[in-house]
Structure formats: C-alpha cells, structure tokens
Amino acid sequence: MEKEQDKIINDVTSGEYKYGFHSDIETEKISRGLNEDTIRTISGKKNEPEWLLEFRLKAFRHWQTMKMPTWANLKIPDIDYQDIIYYAAPKQKAVNKSLNDIDPELKRTFDKLGIPLEEQKHLSGVAVDAVMDSVSVKTTFRETLAESGIIFCSFSDAVKEYPDLIRRYMGTVVPYTDNFFASLNSAVFSDGSFCYIPKGVRCPMELSTYFRINSANTGQFERTLLIADEEAYVSYMEGCTAPMRDENQLHAAIVEIIAENNAEVKYSTVQNWYPGDKNGKGGIFNFVTKRGLCRGENSKISWTQIETGSAITWKYPSCILRGDNSTGEFYSVAVTNNHQQADTGTKMIHIGKNTRSTIVSKGISAGFSNNSYRGLVKVLKSASGARNFSQCDSLLLSDKCGAHTFPYIEVDNQTAIVEHEATTSKIGEDQIFYCNQRGISTEDAIGLIVNGYAREVLNKLPMEFAVEAQKLLQISLEGSVG
Amino acid sequence: MLIIKNLKAEINGKAILKGISLEVKAGEIHAIMGPNGSGKSTLAAVLAGRELVTVTEGSVTYFGKNLLEMPPEERSKEGIFLGFQYPIEIPGVSMVNFMKTAVNEHRKYKGLEPLSASDFLKMMREKKELVEIDSKLANRSVNEGFSGGEKKKNEIFQMAMLEPRLAILDETDSGLDIDALRIVANGVNKLKRPDSSAIVITHYQRLLDFIIPDVVHVLYDGRIVKTAGKELALELEEKGYDWIKKEVDKKDLA
Ligand SMILES: Nc1ncnc2c1ncn2[C@@H]1O[C@H](COP(=O)(O)OP(=O)(O)OP(=O)(O)O)[C@@H](O)[C@H]1O
Ligand SMILES: [Mg+2]
C-alpha cells in the first residue's frame, strides 16, 4: 500500500492522459462506409456461418429504419456513419495464437498499457482477452480455465467453437432491435469476449477484457456475452483506452449477461477512453448497451463502473430481475472534466417476486462538463415484495459545469418499496484548507476528498482495479480546481 | 520564533484585524482571550494562511522568514499547527489515510523517506495512547459524525502526529467535559518541547489552570488591548470584559 500511495501522488503531479500513444502496427482495414457489402465483407473475413450473416443483415436493415436517439441530455455532433471504417485488424501471421506468433509491437503495446499478454507475468491471476480495434489478439489462461470447464475466449472463436451457445443466448438480453446503437453493433460487431461458467463452478480467477482502439478513423464495435449457469460465480473486469486524436471515434458495444438459478456475476468497468483535449477537441463517443438478465431464482448481477474517459458517454448498464428473489446492483462513479459529457445510469426492471435492486451513483463534474444521471426503476405487477434503494449524489468542482438527475420510477405493484435519495454538494474551501493546514497540497486534497466521496463505489471494485481507479480519479480531475 | 507587526486584515472588505503586534519566543505559551467576534479566529486563520482573509498591512515573520508569502501547506510543514475551533468533516476519507498523507508530506519536506505501513500504524497507536483518544475514532472518516468533544480531541491527536513547533489552539477546550479537558490539556503539556511554542485561544481560565501561559493577551475589536501575566485570566473570569471595553473606549475618546 505504501508504495502505491506514493505512486498515486507521483502520477497525479505528472498528470495528463497516459494512454494517448499510437502503436505502429501493420493493420488490415476495409474501406470507409456502411452498406450490406460492408457487412458481408466483415462476416466473410471472419468465415462466419450463414446464420450469423443473416442476423447481421436483419440488424442492419432494421437500423436503417432508425434514428439516433435524442432524449439524452447530450449535445452530440452529427456522426457520418459512411465516414467510418468498420473493420481494422492488426495483421497476425499465424492462425495459431500462441504468444510467439503475436506481433512483438502488439505485445509491447499491451505491456505499455500494463496488460502483459504472457501468462507467467500475471502474478495476480487475471485472465485477459486483449482486443485491439476490431479483433481479439490474445486470450490468456484459456487452457487453465478450461480445466474447470470454463469457456473464456474471443467472440469470434466462440462462434466457431461453441455455435450452439452463441445461438442460444446472443441477442436474448439485448435484441438487435433494442436501440439505434445496439442495432448498429449487431450489424457490424467484429469481436469481443465470450465467457461461460458451467453449473456449480466458481471461476478461480478474475476474467477481464481490455479494449484498445489504435487505428485512426475506425469505430470499435464489440460484443461481450457472459453466461453464468446455475450456482456459478464470476467476477469480470473491463478496461479501455485509446490514442489521442483530434477527431472523434465511435465505440458502440453490447454486453449481455445471463445469470441462471443462484448464479452471481460481478461486472466491473474502468472506462478510460481518450476524453478529448482541454477545449473539447477529439475523444471517443462511448455509446454502449449493457444489460444483464437475472433469469434464475436467487441470481445476482452487479455492475460497478468508474467512468472517467470519453468525450461523450451514453450508457445504462441494466438488470432485468426476472427470477424470484433475484438481485440487481449498480454502483457508479462518473467523472466529467473540461468539455466532457456523460448521460449515464441504469434500469432496474423488477419482474420476479421479492426482487431487490440497489443503485448508488456518484457524479463528479468539473470544468465545463455536463454530467447526468438517468435511471429507471420499474416494478411490474408480478413483482410483489420488490425493493429498490437509489442514492444519487453529485459533486461539483466548478461553477461552469452541470449536474443533473433524471430518476424515473414506475411502480405497478402496491407491495413494492422504492426509495430514492439525491444530494448535490461542492468541495468546500474549508475542506481543502483543512487538508492544506495539515501539509497536504490542494491538488492532493482534492484527490483525497474525491476518493472519499467515491469510496462506497470504489470499495466494490476487485482489488486489482481499485488502486488503478483511485489514481484515475485524481488524474482525471487534474487542474480542475484552482 | 514568531513576530507579528501591526497586522491588519479584512474579510470581504470588512476590517477585522486592526493592527496587531505580538512576539512569541521559543518555548513560550501565549493565551489569547477576548469577547466573541473580536478577531481571535481570524488571527489564527491569517497565521495558518487562509485565503479568505486578506492581509492589508503589517508583517509576520516566522523563524526569520516572511510567513505571509508561504502557502498554507508549507506553513504546516514548517511546523505551524492550527487546532480548528470548528474541525471540518471529510466524508469517506479515513483518518488513517488522511494522517498518513499528512505525515508523509511532512517527512518528504524534511527529506525523509515515507514511513512504512507498519511504522505508521505503530506511530498512530502511540499517539492515540498519548492523547487518550478512542481507538475507534481513528478508524473512521475524518471528523465525520464525531461529537463536538471528539472532534476537539481529534485535533490534539493530529497535533501529536505532526509535532509542531508552533501550535495554535483555537478554543480547543470549548465543548469538552471536565475529563476531556484534562486529557486535552495533558496532551498539550506532554507534547510541549522546551523549544516549541503555543498560542492558546480560550474563553475560560480553567484551561489555563492546566496549561500555564507565560503571557495572556486580550483581543478586542481587532486589537490587543491588554497584555499581562496569567493572573489576567483570573481577573477576566471574575470581572468579564466590560471594564476592559470601557478602558479602551475611554482611550479612544481621549
Ligand atoms: N467568512 C466570514 N465572512 C464575513 N465575516 C466574517 C467571516 N469570518 C469571520 N467574520 C467576522 O469577523 C469577525 C471576527 O470573527 P472571529 O471568528 O475572528 O472572532 P472570534 O474572536 O474568534 O470569536 P469567537 O470567540 O466567537 O470564536 C466577526 O465579526 C465575524 O463575524
Ligand atoms: Mg473564534
């Protein structure tokens, strides 16, 4: 802990977006634009079966009838969907993905990001699926996990090796018609992670996916599908970064989770896409659909997210609580600085009896940024005894930023108890002075105070992520008060 | 160690300190008394470097350096400690983390390595015993939900951790029960080194039974209007401030 504390302080004083470099990697790209041929090309490159191509085309045709949603509290510049490259893959020499076959530059890139692709370097035992641009370049610990019957691999591999599972589950939680970005993703998704934990198995290590955008002018569209069979448990983490560029890049992902009877899934995200520069130029548009289905009785899905990056964030990790006694949780810290915009929150849909949900949202806004919490708690007629507790706090670090809360509550069952609390606060000059008086600089004081404010959520993260997330909070707010 | 000359200061354009001169030598304890609103806390705030207060005239020299030019965190690291009249709550920040950050900042300033986790916890334990603070308080967030008296004891605990050369205690005795008062006063006495000094702001002479001051000042309307030995505190306790106010007002008229 000691060293880490020091490292945090050092990192804070050196500041800036640390992951903004670009790697020179030979990349295979298709040309810009989006039509049925683009989709056939992507599908063809991946040697996909006919049914998957059909799924994509259906999604694409549906997407063409849709308009970008405008209800979010966001100013989104026009996106020219014909000006995006929908497939960019680092060239890999061999099909066999043993480490020796990985481009050394690719390996260096992930080393630099702190994600070593060699298994022996992973002392803490975290299995990683590393995705760059449109493809998964390496999944570690596949064999080790397979020993306990766990499937952890890239989505593309899963399509080839476990087509039945994919066909059974893909699109069951987020249908291709769900929303504009989900339809787009369903049409053009290129890779992502797949995970299946069999009945009665507690996954012995943390699973994770690291998303890296590297190429210019590309969009990243990945899908993650996580299935926890009866009595299974898994903790899953996701991280992401991108180079600094003046133009915006689109990231539109789908995550689907299914939890069967008595299964539990913890899904943690540290989202650190390039946020754009101080004047709001560049940065990632992060338009993501994440949803979990508590299908079984007593199942539990827990979302924890630390959102510090992206120029614009539009995401609502949600839980459909179908199984009786199932539980959904959403713990979120969303930081916006400079000209960043975030509209994020969750949906908790109570269907089963005695279903429970907890929402803890901590928004932190600085600079000229705009930060909105948007959440829906819906209790259906069938959900007798349902309970929800929501706590939405906003912390303002400047007087030019905005913080908004949009809670929607729809209750159709008299026995349900739904509680909502909201607060807005500022970092007090007196708090900073108190720290100063004890020898702590203003920058560090803000770091302490913000981390204290976010403590409840940070505590939900797996150890491997917690320290990283703490540092990130401090760096993201660098120079935001003064 | 501390020389204040003709110090004038204002808050939001309103003059609060109207020419204060005061010298504190190494090893001395000064008590400052005076009616509510006379400027005692404001003086403490100026010494600690609070931006809210604007110095308009005068000088403050601390160990030969111009104190007013130093940022507040540097003053702290140079050994100035302010025990707040109203200690501030910082939710979610544990006392351990807060004090570790503070202590290591002080160490860095002195060119020392940061303390290891175990050395730090040992230090916490020792200091907690010294000031008889409840162990559990140190595991909670900074002042969050502390009772009034607990907050004051926590100030003394922090002082023990930072070992200041000049401690400014702003009504640390207010809100304490009799036992706590003795504990706090004992703490201050135990922490006092021959070359360290203290400015003790208080309304009650009973504190000064425990912490014996070398000098007592009376602050009234932004000025030090009387300075004497510790017997002045007794006199004030008996007679209140009216007689001093009258003396001052008479002088002003003349
Ligand atoms: N933030 C502020 N804004 C405006 N006026 C202030 C502020 N802080 C202090 N003052 C004023 O400055 C004057 C001196 O206040 P100060 O707190 O220094 O008094 P004090 O001697 O410490 O009183 P007490 O014994 O009640 O603690 C008071 O009139 C007070 O109202
Ligand atoms: Mg006062």
Side-chain angles (χ1 to χ4, degrees):
Chain A
M1 264 330 264
E2 197 61 43
K3 287 242 171 63
E4 275 156 10
Q5 195 77 30
D6 269 349
K7 253 179 79 193
I8 292 172
I9 289 168
N10 281 338
D11 283 344
V12 167
T13 42
S14 56
E16 290 243 336
Y17 189 70
K18 282 201 306 190
Y19 309 99
F21 64 91
H22 165 84
S23 312
D24 226 342
I25 291 170
E26 223 187 311
T27 303
E28 178 195 357
K29 292 181 187 181
I30 62 172
S31 44
R32 293 174 199 232
L34 178 57
N35 51 46
E36 293 203 0
D37 281 344
T38 321
I39 289 159
R40 286 177 204 283
T41 308
I42 294 172
S43 189
K45 285 203 176 296
K46 309 181 87 64
N47 286 320
E48 281 176 357
E50 192 58 27
W51 58 264
L52 192 49
L53 175 62
E54 277 312 308
F55 174 87
R56 290 175 179 279
L57 290 171
K58 267 196 295 190
F60 179 64
R61 286 167 198 147
H62 184 78
W63 178 74
Q64 284 178 305
T65 68
M66 300 173 92
K67 287 217 156 46
M68 213 166 99
T70 51
W71 44 260
N73 187 23
L74 299 169
K75 287 197 192 83
I76 306 176
D78 280 338
I79 297 171
D80 182 353
Y81 291 93
Q82 296 306 332
D83 198 34
I84 294 173
I85 296 171
Y86 287 86
Y87 185 85
K91 275 199 182 137
Q92 303 224 53
K93 288 169 213 108
V95 197
N96 175 3
K97 287 189 200 167
S98 93
L99 192 70
N100 299 336
D101 296 332
I102 287 189
D103 184 336
E105 184 58 33
L106 251 177
K107 204 160 74 71
R108 263 198 299 279
T109 301
F110 280 95
D111 274 344
K112 218 165 148 182
L113 296 167
I115 313 291
L117 298 180
E118 293 103 321
E119 294 184 356
Q120 61 273 25
K121 281 202 181 162
H122 270 278
L123 298 172
S124 49
V126 179
V128 186
D129 183 23
V131 177
M132 182 177 284
D133 294 332
S134 304
V135 295
S136 160
V137 295
K138 169 81 188 171
T139 309
T140 63
F141 292 110
R142 260 191 86 159
E143 288 76 23
T144 318
L145 290 165
E147 283 164 23
S148 18
I150 296 168
I151 304 169
F152 180 49
C153 62
S154 72
F155 203 91
S156 307
D157 287 350
V159 168
K160 292 196 189 78
E161 295 169 39
Y162 311 99
D164 294 345
L165 284 173
I166 299 283
R167 287 186 88 161
R168 177 150 23 120
Y169 289 107
M170 183 181 72
T172 57
V173 187
V174 181
Y176 70 83
T177 50
D178 193 79
N179 69 72
F180 184 83
F181 299 112
S183 297
L184 177 63
N185 174 291
S186 300
V188 302
F189 75 90
S190 43
D191 215 334
S193 306
F194 174 76
C195 166
Y196 174 81
I197 316 285
K199 214 168 164 169
V201 173
R202 274 187 78 85
C203 185
M205 58 176 91
E206 300 278 340
L207 302 188
S208 71
T209 307
Y210 194 91
F211 296 103
R212 174 71 177 172
I213 292 179
N214 189 51
S215 302
N217 309 115
T218 59
Q220 192 178 56
F221 307 91
E222 84 282 354
R223 281 187 94 97
T224 299
L225 178 56
L226 270 179
I227 302 148
D229 215 326
E230 293 181 16
E231 325 268 334
Y233 168 84
V234 63
S235 168
Y236 194 93
M237 323 189 279
E238 163 193 78
C240 35
T241 56
M244 293 194 227
R245 291 213 172 88
D246 283 350
E247 85 264 8
N248 299 109
Q249 281 181 279
L250 178 61
H251 170 256
I254 288 181
V255 175
E256 294 180 282
I257 301 177
I258 294 121
E260 303 287 5
N261 287 341
N262 301 308
E264 180 176 352
V265 177
K266 266 182 74 131
Y267 195 104
S268 312
T269 303
V270 173
Q271 187 266 103
N272 189 20
W273 293 117
Y274 177 53
D277 70 7
K278 281 204 160 51
N279 304 310
K281 203 170 169 56
I284 303 292
F285 292 164
N286 188 36
F287 303 152
V288 172
T289 306
K290 293 183 168 178
R291 196 173 302 151
L293 172 63
C294 282
R295 192 151 76 171
E297 285 176 21
N298 294 311
S299 56
K300 179 173 175 183
I301 293 177
S302 182
W303 299 99
T304 304
Q305 60 171 25
I306 310 297
E307 302 281 316
T308 62
S310 298
I312 306 179
T313 296
W314 179 98
K315 83 181 255 211
Y316 315 90
S318 303
C319 297
I320 302 171
L321 304 170
R322 191 192 292 163
D324 289 348
N325 303 310
S326 60
T327 305
E329 293 178 340
F330 174 75
Y331 293 95
S332 168
V333 174
V335 181
T336 53
N337 195 2
N338 299 318
H339 292 268
Q340 282 176 278
Q341 307 176 59
D343 192 304
T344 183
T346 184
K347 287 190 273 188
M348 292 290 173
I349 315 292
H350 293 254
I351 303 173
K353 289 189 187 61
N354 298 318
T355 44
R356 253 139 249 272
S357 63
T358 306
I359 298 171
V360 177
S361 162
K362 305 264 179 182
I364 301 167
S365 339
F368 300 88
S369 69
N370 208 5
N371 200 332
S372 303
Y373 166 81
R374 187 181 304 276
L376 168 67
V377 176
K378 192 179 170 106
V379 178
L380 274 63
K381 227 188 197 98
S382 52
S384 46
R387 290 211 56 163
N388 160 268
F389 174 74
S390 303
Q391 170 83 46
C392 301
D393 297 329
S394 308
L395 183 68
L396 301 170
L397 300 190
S398 85
D399 39 26
K400 296 184 186 66
C401 59
H404 317 272
T405 307
F406 304 100
Y408 306 92
I409 297 171
E410 297 169 18
V411 179
D412 269 341
N413 188 303
Q414 297 278 314
T415 62
I417 302 173
V418 175
E419 288 171 273
H420 178 88
E421 285 175 16
T423 66
T424 300
S425 51
K426 290 191 133 193
I427 288 192
E429 175 267 340
D430 52 353
Q431 288 178 323
I432 291 175
F433 179 67
Y434 193 71
C435 294
N436 289 160
Q437 212 304 303
R438 301 309 187 232
I440 301 167
S441 70
T442 300
E443 203 75 57
D444 290 347
I446 292 164
L448 267 180
I449 295 165
V450 165
N451 273 302
Y453 166 80
R455 173 76 35 221
E456 201 182 340
V457 175
L458 293 174
N459 282 347
K460 296 284 168 187
L461 287 175
M463 267 302 284
E464 289 81 353
F465 258 27
V467 174
E468 196 63 31
Q470 265 188 38
K471 279 193 275 186
L472 201 55
L473 282 191
Q474 249 153 328
I475 293 165
S476 310
L477 291 167
E478 175 104 330
S480 60
V481 175
Chain B
M1 62 165 62
L2 182 76
I3 302 167
I4 304 173
K5 279 194 187 140
N6 190 33
L7 181 69
K8 296 188 182 171
E10 56 183 42
I11 299 177
N12 299 329
K14 183 181 158 213
I16 312 282
L17 301 182
K18 301 174 180 171
I20 288 185
S21 297
L22 176 68
E23 178 170 359
V24 179
K25 296 205 174 74
E28 287 181 348
I29 294 181
H30 289 234
I32 297 183
M33 305 184 79
N36 294 133
S38 57
K40 302 182 296 295
S41 295
T42 307
L43 175 61
V46 170
L47 296 178
R50 185 150 199 178
E51 252 177 59
L52 193 74
V53 189
T54 315
V55 173
T56 52
E57 227 184 294
S59 67
V60 182
T61 315
Y62 177 68
F63 285 104
K65 287 188 204 156
N66 179 355
L67 186 72
L68 300 177
E69 272 179 358
M70 277 184 217
E73 61 271 28
E74 194 179 326
R75 299 182 198 200
S76 166
K77 290 181 281 196
E78 282 287 341
I80 292 183
F81 178 89
L82 172 60
F84 284 64
Q85 182 174 3
Y86 305 108
I88 308 298
E89 301 192 3
I90 312 180
V93 178
S94 71
M95 272 306 293
V96 175
N97 199 7
F98 181 69
M99 277 330 289
K100 193 160 79 172
T101 311
V103 166
N104 283 334
E105 284 298 311
H106 279 241
R107 290 180 65 89
K108 192 156 87 188
Y109 191 74
K110 295 192 187 103
L112 299 171
E113 289 288 305
L115 280 180
S116 73
S118 64
D119 284 347
F120 176 78
L121 290 174
K122 188 161 153 256
M123 177 181 179
M124 287 262 296
R125 227 174 8 251
E126 284 167 11
K127 303 293 184 179
K128 271 191 292 199
E129 275 166 28
L130 188 73
V131 298
E132 299 175 53
I133 179 179
D134 187 343
S135 271
K136 280 181 230 104
L137 287 183
N139 296 330
R140 286 167 46 183
S141 296
V142 180
N143 292 322
E144 196 187 20
F146 286 24
S147 75
E150 286 169 344
K151 283 181 183 169
K152 295 301 176 72
K153 281 202 251 178
N154 193 27
E155 293 294 288
I156 298 301
F157 167 66
Q158 293 177 50
M159 176 174 120
M161 293 292 288
L162 297 174
E163 300 178 338
R165 294 197 281 182
L166 173 64
I168 304 161
L169 302 178
D170 192 354
E171 298 199 25
T172 305
D173 56 331
S174 298
L176 291 180
D177 63 45
I178 261 305
D179 291 336
L181 181 73
R182 203 169 37 236
I183 290 168
V184 163
N186 277 342
V188 173
N189 287 331
K190 276 190 242 170
L191 293 166
K192 172 93 180 55
R193 285 160 294 149
D195 60 341
S196 70
S197 308
I199 297 175
V200 180
I201 298 171
T202 182
H203 286 294
Y204 307 105
Q205 92 85 29
R206 60 169 193 191
L207 177 70
L208 304 178
D209 286 341
F210 296 107
I211 304 173
I212 316 250
D214 298 290
V215 197
V216 178
H217 308 275
V218 176
L219 195 63
Y220 172 58
D221 192 23
R223 291 187 192 96
I224 290 180
V225 294
K226 207 164 184 70
T227 297
K230 64 173 193 293
E231 63 292 342
L232 177 58
L234 271 173
E235 195 175 351
L236 291 171
E237 183 99 343
E238 255 170 51
K239 303 205 281 191
Y241 290 111
D242 270 0
W243 62 282
I244 292 190
K245 288 184 190 173
K246 277 193 194 117
E247 259 179 38
V248 174
D249 296 343
K250 225 186 288 168
K251 253 192 253 162
D252 278 356
L253 279 177

